[in-house]
Coordinates of all heavy atoms in Angstrom, one line a residue:
M1 N 0.8 -1.2 0.0 CA 0.0 0.0 0.0 C 0.9 1.2 0.0 O 1.9 1.3 0.7 CB -0.9 0.0 1.2 CG -1.7 1.2 1.4 SD -3.0 1.1 2.6 CE -4.4 1.2 1.5
L2 N 0.5 2.2 -0.8 CA 1.3 3.4 -0.9 C 1.1 4.3 0.3 O 0.0 4.4 0.9 CB 0.9 4.3 -2.1 CG 1.2 3.6 -3.4 CD1 0.5 4.4 -4.6 CD2 2.7 3.6 -3.7
Q3 N 2.2 5.0 0.7 CA 2.1 6.0 1.7 C 2.0 7.4 1.1 O 2.7 7.7 0.2 CB 3.4 5.9 2.5 CG 3.6 4.6 3.3 CD 2.5 4.5 4.4 OE1 2.2 5.4 5.1 NE2 2.0 3.3 4.4
Y4 N 1.0 8.1 1.4 CA 0.7 9.4 1.0 C 1.2 10.5 1.9 O 1.0 10.4 3.1 CB -0.8 9.6 0.7 CG -1.3 8.7 -0.4 CD1 -2.1 7.6 0.0 CD2 -1.1 8.9 -1.7 CE1 -2.6 6.7 -1.0 CE2 -1.6 8.0 -2.7 CZ -2.3 7.0 -2.3 OH -2.8 6.1 -3.3
N5 N 1.8 11.5 1.3 CA 2.3 12.6 2.2 C 1.1 13.6 2.5 O 0.0 13.4 1.9 CB 3.4 13.4 1.5 CG 3.1 14.1 0.2 OD1 1.9 14.6 0.0 ND2 4.0 14.1 -0.7
K6 N 1.3 14.6 3.3 CA 0.2 15.5 3.7 C -0.5 16.1 2.5 O -1.7 16.2 2.4 CB 0.7 16.5 4.7 CG -0.4 17.4 5.2 CD 0.1 18.4 6.2 CE -1.0 19.3 6.6 NZ -0.6 20.4 7.5
A7 N 0.3 16.6 1.6 CA -0.3 17.3 0.4 C -1.2 16.4 -0.4 O -2.2 16.7 -0.9 CB 0.8 17.9 -0.5
Q8 N -0.7 15.1 -0.6 CA -1.5 14.2 -1.4 C -2.7 13.8 -0.6 O -3.8 13.7 -1.2 CB -0.6 12.9 -1.6 CG 0.4 13.0 -2.6 CD 1.4 11.8 -2.7 OE1 1.9 11.4 -1.6 NE2 1.5 11.3 -3.9
R9 N -2.7 13.6 0.7 CA -3.8 13.3 1.4 C -4.9 14.4 1.4 O -6.1 14.1 1.2 CB -3.5 12.9 2.9 CG -2.8 11.6 3.1 CD -2.7 11.3 4.6 NE -2.1 12.3 5.4 CZ -0.8 12.4 5.7 NH1 0.0 11.5 5.2 NH2 -0.4 13.3 6.5
E10 N -4.4 15.6 1.5 CA -5.3 16.8 1.4 C -6.0 16.8 0.0 O -7.2 17.1 -0.1 CB -4.6 18.1 1.7 CG -4.3 18.2 3.1 CD -3.4 19.4 3.5 OE1 -3.0 20.1 2.5 OE2 -3.2 19.7 4.7
L11 N -5.2 16.7 -1.0 CA -5.8 16.6 -2.4 C -6.7 15.5 -2.6 O -7.8 15.7 -3.1 CB -4.6 16.6 -3.4 CG -5.1 16.5 -4.9 CD1 -5.8 17.8 -5.3 CD2 -3.8 16.3 -5.8
I12 N -6.4 14.3 -2.2 CA -7.3 13.2 -2.3 C -8.7 13.4 -1.6 O -9.7 13.2 -2.1 CB -6.6 11.9 -1.7 CG1 -5.5 11.5 -2.6 CG2 -7.7 10.8 -1.5 CD1 -4.6 10.4 -2.0
Q13 N -8.6 14.0 -0.4 CA -9.8 14.4 0.4 C -10.6 15.4 -0.3 O -11.9 15.2 -0.5 CB -9.4 15.0 1.8 CG -10.0 14.3 2.9 CD -9.5 14.9 4.3 OE1 -8.6 15.8 4.3 NE2 -10.1 14.4 5.2
K14 N -10.0 16.4 -0.9 CA -10.8 17.4 -1.6 C -11.5 16.8 -2.8 O -12.6 17.1 -3.1 CB -9.9 18.6 -2.0 CG -10.6 19.7 -2.6 CD -9.7 20.9 -2.8 CE -10.5 22.0 -3.4 NZ -10.2 23.3 -2.8
L15 N -10.6 16.0 -3.6 CA -11.2 15.4 -4.8 C -12.3 14.4 -4.5 O -13.3 14.3 -5.3 CB -10.1 14.8 -5.7 CG -9.0 15.8 -6.2 CD1 -7.9 15.0 -6.9 CD2 -9.7 16.8 -7.2
E16 N -12.1 13.7 -3.4 CA -13.2 12.7 -3.1 C -14.5 13.5 -2.8 O -15.6 12.9 -3.1 CB -12.7 11.9 -1.8 CG -11.8 10.8 -2.2 CD -11.4 10.0 -0.9 OE1 -11.3 10.6 0.2 OE2 -11.0 8.8 -1.2
Q17 N -14.4 14.6 -2.2 CA -15.7 15.4 -2.0 C -16.4 15.8 -3.3 O -17.6 15.6 -3.4 CB -15.3 16.7 -1.1 CG -14.9 16.4 0.2 CD -14.4 17.7 0.9 OE1 -14.3 18.8 0.3 NE2 -14.1 17.5 2.2
Y18 N -15.6 16.2 -4.2 CA -16.2 16.5 -5.6 C -16.7 15.2 -6.2 O -17.9 15.2 -6.7 CB -15.1 17.1 -6.5 CG -14.8 18.5 -6.2 CD1 -13.4 18.8 -5.8 CD2 -15.7 19.5 -6.2 CE1 -13.1 20.2 -5.6 CE2 -15.4 20.8 -5.9 CZ -14.0 21.1 -5.6 OH -13.7 22.4 -5.3
E19 N -16.0 14.1 -6.1 CA -16.5 12.8 -6.7 C -17.8 12.4 -6.0 O -18.7 11.9 -6.7 CB -15.3 11.8 -6.5 CG -15.5 10.5 -7.3 CD -14.5 9.6 -7.1 OE1 -14.0 9.2 -6.0 OE2 -13.9 9.1 -8.2
T20 N -17.9 12.6 -4.7 CA -19.1 12.2 -4.0 C -20.3 13.0 -4.5 O -21.4 12.6 -4.5 CB -18.9 12.5 -2.5 OG1 -17.8 11.6 -2.1 CG2 -20.2 12.1 -1.7
R21 N -20.1 14.2 -4.9 CA -21.1 15.1 -5.5 C -21.5 14.8 -6.9 O -22.3 15.4 -7.5 CB -20.7 16.6 -5.4 CG -20.6 17.1 -3.9 CD -20.1 18.5 -3.8 NE -20.5 19.4 -4.9 CZ -19.9 20.5 -5.1 NH1 -18.8 20.9 -4.5 NH2 -20.3 21.3 -6.1
G22 N -20.7 13.8 -7.4 CA -21.0 13.3 -8.8 C -20.3 14.1 -9.9 O -20.6 14.0 -11.1
I23 N -19.3 14.8 -9.5 CA -18.5 15.6 -10.4 C -17.3 14.8 -11.0 O -16.5 14.3 -10.3 CB -17.9 16.9 -9.8 CG1 -19.1 17.8 -9.4 CG2 -17.0 17.7 -10.8 CD1 -18.8 18.9 -8.5
P24 N -17.4 14.5 -12.3 CA -16.3 13.7 -12.9 C -14.9 14.4 -12.8 O -14.7 15.5 -13.0 CB -16.7 13.6 -14.4 CG -18.1 14.1 -14.5 CD -18.2 15.0 -13.3
L25 N -13.9 13.5 -12.6 CA -12.5 13.9 -12.5 C -11.7 13.3 -13.7 O -11.9 12.1 -14.0 CB -11.9 13.5 -11.2 CG -12.7 13.9 -9.9 CD1 -12.1 13.2 -8.8 CD2 -12.7 15.4 -9.7
S26 N -10.8 14.1 -14.3 CA -10.0 13.5 -15.3 C -8.6 14.1 -15.2 O -8.4 15.2 -14.7 CB -10.5 13.7 -16.7 OG -10.6 15.0 -17.0
I27 N -7.6 13.4 -15.8 CA -6.3 13.9 -16.0 C -5.7 13.6 -17.3 O -5.9 12.3 -17.7 CB -5.3 13.4 -14.8 CG1 -4.0 14.2 -14.8 CG2 -5.1 12.0 -14.8 CD1 -3.2 14.1 -13.5
D28 N -5.2 14.5 -18.0 CA -4.6 14.3 -19.4 C -5.7 13.6 -20.3 O -5.4 12.7 -21.1 CB -3.4 13.4 -19.3 CG -2.2 14.2 -18.7 OD1 -2.1 15.4 -18.8 OD2 -1.4 13.5 -18.0
G29 N -6.9 14.0 -20.1 CA -8.0 13.5 -21.0 C -8.6 12.2 -20.7 O -9.5 11.7 -21.4
R30 N -8.3 11.6 -19.6 CA -8.8 10.3 -19.2 C -9.4 10.4 -17.7 O -8.8 11.0 -16.9 CB -7.9 9.1 -19.3 CG -6.7 9.2 -18.4 CD -5.8 7.9 -18.5 NE -4.8 7.9 -17.4 CZ -5.0 7.6 -16.2 NH1 -6.2 7.1 -15.8 NH2 -4.0 7.6 -15.4
T31 N -10.5 9.6 -17.6 CA -11.1 9.6 -16.3 C -10.1 9.0 -15.2 O -9.5 8.0 -15.6 CB -12.4 8.7 -16.4 OG1 -13.3 9.3 -17.3 CG2 -13.1 8.6 -15.0
A32 N -10.1 9.6 -14.1 CA -9.2 9.1 -13.1 C -9.8 9.3 -11.7 O -10.6 10.1 -11.4 CB -7.9 9.8 -13.2
S33 N -9.3 8.4 -10.7 CA -9.7 8.6 -9.3 C -8.9 9.6 -8.6 O -7.9 10.0 -9.1 CB -9.5 7.2 -8.6 OG -8.2 7.0 -8.4
P34 N -9.5 10.0 -7.5 CA -8.7 11.0 -6.7 C -7.3 10.5 -6.4 O -6.3 11.3 -6.4 CB -9.5 11.2 -5.4 CG -10.9 10.9 -5.9 CD -10.8 9.8 -6.9
Y35 N -7.2 9.2 -6.1 CA -5.8 8.6 -5.8 C -4.9 8.7 -7.0 O -3.7 9.1 -6.8 CB -6.0 7.2 -5.3 CG -6.7 7.1 -4.0 CD1 -8.1 6.9 -4.0 CD2 -6.0 7.2 -2.8 CE1 -8.7 6.9 -2.7 CE2 -6.7 7.1 -1.6 CZ -8.0 7.0 -1.5 OH -8.7 6.9 -0.3
E36 N -5.4 8.4 -8.2 CA -4.6 8.4 -9.4 C -4.1 9.8 -9.7 O -2.9 10.1 -10.0 CB -5.3 7.9 -10.6 CG -5.6 6.5 -10.6 CD -6.5 6.1 -11.8 OE1 -7.6 6.6 -11.8 OE2 -6.1 5.2 -12.6
I37 N -5.0 10.8 -9.5 CA -4.6 12.2 -9.7 C -3.6 12.6 -8.8 O -2.5 13.3 -9.2 CB -5.9 13.1 -9.7 CG1 -6.8 12.8 -10.9 CG2 -5.5 14.6 -9.7 CD1 -8.2 13.3 -10.8
A38 N -3.7 12.4 -7.5 CA -2.8 12.8 -6.4 C -1.4 12.2 -6.7 O -0.4 12.8 -6.6 CB -3.3 12.4 -5.1
E39 N -1.3 10.9 -7.1 CA -0.1 10.3 -7.4 C 0.6 10.8 -8.6 O 1.7 11.2 -8.5 CB -0.3 8.8 -7.6 CG -0.7 8.0 -6.4 CD -1.0 6.5 -6.7 OE1 -0.5 6.0 -7.7 OE2 -1.8 5.9 -5.9
I40 N -0.1 11.2 -9.7 CA 0.5 11.8 -10.9 C 1.0 13.2 -10.6 O 2.1 13.6 -10.9 CB -0.5 11.7 -12.0 CG1 -0.7 10.3 -12.4 CG2 0.0 12.6 -13.2 CD1 -1.8 10.1 -13.4
I41 N 0.1 14.0 -9.9 CA 0.5 15.4 -9.7 C 1.6 15.6 -8.7 O 2.5 16.3 -9.0 CB -0.8 16.1 -9.2 CG1 -1.8 16.3 -10.4 CG2 -0.4 17.5 -8.7 CD1 -3.1 16.9 -10.0
C42 N 1.6 14.7 -7.7 CA 2.6 14.9 -6.6 C 3.9 14.2 -6.9 O 4.9 14.5 -6.3 CB 2.0 14.5 -5.3 SG 0.6 15.5 -4.7
V43 N 3.9 13.3 -7.9 CA 5.1 12.6 -8.1 C 5.9 13.1 -9.3 O 7.1 13.1 -9.4 CB 4.8 11.1 -8.4 CG1 6.0 10.3 -8.9 CG2 4.3 10.4 -7.2
C44 N 5.2 13.8 -10.2 CA 5.8 14.3 -11.5 C 6.6 15.6 -11.1 O 6.0 16.7 -11.0 CB 4.8 14.7 -12.5 SG 4.0 13.2 -13.3
E45 N 7.9 15.4 -10.9 CA 8.7 16.6 -10.6 C 9.0 17.4 -11.8 O 9.2 18.6 -11.7 CB 10.0 16.1 -9.9 CG 9.7 15.4 -8.6 CD 11.0 14.9 -8.0 OE1 12.1 15.0 -8.6 OE2 10.9 14.2 -6.9
E46 N 9.0 16.8 -13.0 CA 9.3 17.5 -14.2 C 8.2 18.2 -14.9 O 8.4 18.8 -15.9 CB 10.2 16.6 -15.1 CG 11.5 16.1 -14.5 CD 12.2 15.1 -15.4 OE1 11.8 15.0 -16.5 OE2 13.1 14.5 -14.9
S47 N 7.0 17.9 -14.5 CA 5.8 18.4 -15.1 C 4.9 19.1 -14.1 O 5.0 18.8 -12.9 CB 5.0 17.3 -15.7 OG 5.7 16.6 -16.7
S48 N 4.2 20.0 -14.6 CA 3.2 20.7 -13.8 C 1.8 20.5 -14.3 O 1.6 20.3 -15.5 CB 3.5 22.3 -13.8 OG 4.7 22.6 -13.2
Y49 N 0.8 20.5 -13.4 CA -0.5 20.2 -13.8 C -1.3 21.4 -13.3 O -1.1 22.0 -12.3 CB -1.1 18.9 -13.2 CG -0.6 17.7 -14.0 CD1 0.6 17.1 -13.8 CD2 -1.4 17.2 -15.0 CE1 1.0 16.0 -14.5 CE2 -1.1 16.1 -15.7 CZ 0.2 15.5 -15.5 OH 0.6 14.4 -16.2
M50 N -2.4 21.7 -14.2 CA -3.4 22.8 -13.8 C -4.7 22.2 -13.8 O -5.1 21.5 -14.7 CB -3.2 23.9 -14.9 CG -4.2 25.1 -14.6 SD -3.9 26.4 -15.8 CE -4.6 25.6 -17.3
A51 N -5.5 22.6 -12.8 CA -6.9 22.1 -12.7 C -7.7 23.1 -13.5 O -7.6 24.3 -13.4 CB -7.3 22.1 -11.3
D52 N -8.7 22.6 -14.3 CA -9.6 23.3 -15.1 C -11.0 22.9 -14.5 O -11.5 21.8 -14.6 CB -9.5 22.9 -16.6 CG -10.5 23.8 -17.4 OD1 -11.0 24.8 -17.0 OD2 -10.6 23.4 -18.6
Y53 N -11.6 23.9 -13.9 CA -13.0 23.8 -13.2 C -14.0 24.1 -14.3 O -14.1 25.3 -14.6 CB -13.1 24.5 -12.0 CG -12.2 24.1 -10.9 CD1 -10.8 24.5 -10.8 CD2 -12.6 23.2 -9.9 CE1 -10.0 24.1 -9.8 CE2 -11.8 22.8 -8.9 CZ -10.4 23.2 -8.9 OH -9.6 22.7 -7.8
V54 N -14.6 23.1 -14.9 CA -15.6 23.3 -15.9 C -16.9 23.5 -15.3 O -17.4 22.7 -14.5 CB -15.6 22.1 -16.9 CG1 -16.6 22.3 -18.1 CG2 -14.2 21.8 -17.5
V55 N -17.6 24.7 -15.8 CA -18.9 25.0 -15.2 C -19.9 25.0 -16.4 O -19.5 25.2 -17.5 CB -19.0 26.3 -14.5 CG1 -18.1 26.3 -13.3 CG2 -18.6 27.5 -15.4
D56 N -21.2 24.8 -16.0 CA -22.3 24.9 -17.1 C -22.8 26.3 -17.2 O -22.2 27.2 -16.6 CB -23.4 23.9 -16.8 CG -24.2 24.2 -15.5 OD1 -24.0 25.3 -14.9 OD2 -25.0 23.4 -15.0
E57 N -23.7 26.5 -18.0 CA -24.3 27.8 -18.3 C -24.9 28.5 -17.1 O -25.1 29.7 -17.0 CB -25.3 27.8 -19.4 CG -26.6 26.9 -19.1 CD -26.4 25.4 -19.4 OE1 -25.4 25.0 -19.9 OE2 -27.3 24.6 -19.0
N58 N -25.2 27.7 -16.0 CA -25.7 28.3 -14.8 C -24.6 28.5 -13.7 O -24.9 28.9 -12.6 CB -26.8 27.4 -14.2 CG -28.0 27.2 -15.1 OD1 -28.4 28.1 -15.7 ND2 -28.4 26.0 -15.2
G59 N -23.3 28.3 -14.1 CA -22.2 28.5 -13.2 C -22.0 27.3 -12.2 O -21.3 27.4 -11.3
E60 N -22.6 26.2 -12.5 CA -22.5 25.0 -11.7 C -21.3 24.2 -12.1 O -21.1 24.0 -13.3 CB -23.8 24.1 -11.7 CG -25.0 24.8 -11.1 CD -24.9 25.0 -9.6 OE1 -24.4 24.1 -8.9 OE2 -25.4 26.0 -9.1
L61 N -20.5 23.8 -11.2 CA -19.3 22.9 -11.5 C -19.9 21.5 -12.0 O -20.7 20.9 -11.4 CB -18.5 22.7 -10.2 CG -17.2 21.9 -10.4 CD1 -16.3 22.6 -11.3 CD2 -16.6 21.7 -9.0
V62 N -19.3 21.2 -13.2 CA -19.8 19.9 -13.8 C -18.6 18.9 -14.0 O -18.9 17.8 -14.3 CB -20.5 20.2 -15.2 CG1 -21.9 20.9 -14.9 CG2 -19.7 20.9 -16.2
Q63 N -17.3 19.4 -14.0 CA -16.2 18.6 -14.2 C -15.0 19.2 -13.8 O -14.9 20.5 -13.8 CB -16.1 18.2 -15.7 CG -15.0 17.2 -16.1 CD -15.0 16.9 -17.6 OE1 -15.7 17.5 -18.3 NE2 -14.3 15.8 -17.8
I64 N -14.0 18.4 -13.4 CA -12.6 19.0 -13.1 C -11.6 18.2 -13.9 O -11.6 16.9 -13.8 CB -12.3 18.8 -11.6 CG1 -13.3 19.6 -10.7 CG2 -10.9 19.4 -11.3 CD1 -13.2 19.3 -9.2
C65 N -10.9 18.9 -14.7 CA -9.9 18.3 -15.7 C -8.5 18.8 -15.2 O -8.3 20.0 -15.0 CB -10.1 18.7 -17.1 SG -11.8 18.4 -17.6
F66 N -7.6 17.9 -15.0 CA -6.2 18.3 -14.7 C -5.4 18.0 -16.1 O -5.4 17.0 -16.6 CB -5.6 17.4 -13.6 CG -6.2 17.7 -12.3 CD1 -7.3 17.2 -11.8 CD2 -5.6 18.7 -11.5 CE1 -7.9 17.5 -10.6 CE2 -6.1 18.9 -10.2 CZ -7.3 18.4 -9.8
D67 N -4.7 19.1 -16.5 CA -4.0 19.0 -17.7 C -2.5 19.4 -17.5 O -2.3 20.4 -16.7 CB -4.6 20.0 -18.7 CG -6.0 19.6 -19.1 OD1 -6.2 18.4 -19.5 OD2 -6.9 20.4 -19.0
K68 N -1.6 18.7 -18.2 CA -0.2 19.0 -18.0 C 0.0 20.4 -18.6 O -0.4 20.7 -19.7 CB 0.6 18.0 -18.7 CG 2.1 18.0 -18.5 CD 2.9 17.0 -19.2 CE 2.5 15.6 -18.6 NZ 3.4 14.5 -19.2
V69 N 0.9 21.2 -18.0 CA 1.2 22.6 -18.4 C 2.5 22.4 -19.2 O 3.5 21.9 -18.6 CB 1.4 23.5 -17.3 CG1 1.8 24.8 -17.8 CG2 0.0 23.6 -16.5
L70 N 2.5 22.8 -20.4 CA 3.7 22.6 -21.3 C 4.5 23.9 -21.2 O 4.0 25.0 -21.3 CB 3.4 22.3 -22.7 CG 2.5 21.1 -22.9 CD1 2.1 20.9 -24.4 CD2 3.3 19.8 -22.5
H71 N 5.8 23.8 -20.9 CA 6.7 25.0 -20.9 C 7.5 25.1 -22.1 O 8.0 24.0 -22.6 CB 7.7 24.8 -19.7 CG 6.9 24.6 -18.3 ND1 6.4 25.7 -17.7 CD2 6.6 23.6 -17.6 CE1 5.8 25.3 -16.6 NE2 5.9 24.0 -16.5
Y72 N 7.5 26.2 -22.7 CA 8.2 26.4 -24.0 C 9.4 27.3 -23.7 O 9.4 28.2 -22.9 CB 7.4 27.0 -25.0 CG 6.3 26.1 -25.5 CD1 5.0 26.1 -25.0 CD2 6.6 25.1 -26.4 CE1 4.0 25.2 -25.4 CE2 5.6 24.2 -26.9 CZ 4.3 24.3 -26.3 OH 3.3 23.4 -26.8

């Protein structure tokens, strides 16, 4: 079993709250669990990820997408 640091545990907890509300989570274009997202984001030292909070026409959160930020 993996050991999560404090930052990962906090991220997992926050993402689980969104997931419980039925909000889909994805990273790099594929559906992912809070655990998968935390592992990828917190382990990738050479890459940065940005969360994109997608809202509908009423301003309601409908999806959270994490995308790799490309540095040029």
Side-chain angles (χ1 to χ4, degrees):
M1 174 169 243
L2 292 173
Q3 295 293 318
Y4 296 102
N5 64 36
K6 183 179 178 184
Q8 286 172 308
R9 287 191 308 270
E10 289 174 355
L11 179 59
I12 290 166
Q13 230 176 0
K14 183 172 185 142
L15 293 176
E16 283 180 329
Q17 291 173 356
Y18 288 120
E19 191 176 55
T20 299
R21 290 174 40 199
I23 297 169
L25 307 171
S26 66
I27 190 162
D28 293 329
R30 67 174 184 82
T31 301
S33 73
Y35 293 92
E36 291 173 302
I37 293 170
E39 287 174 26
I40 292 170
I41 289 175
C42 294
V43 172
C44 288
E45 296 176 1
E46 297 176 15
S47 300
S48 298
Y49 281 84
M50 180 177 70
D52 182 15
Y53 293 83
V54 181
V55 296
D56 65 12
E57 61 277 352
N58 298 317
E60 295 292 321
L61 183 62
V62 294
Q63 183 177 14
I64 303 173
C65 307
F66 289 86
D67 297 304
K68 191 180 293 188
V69 178
L70 302 176
H71 302 279
Y72 293 96

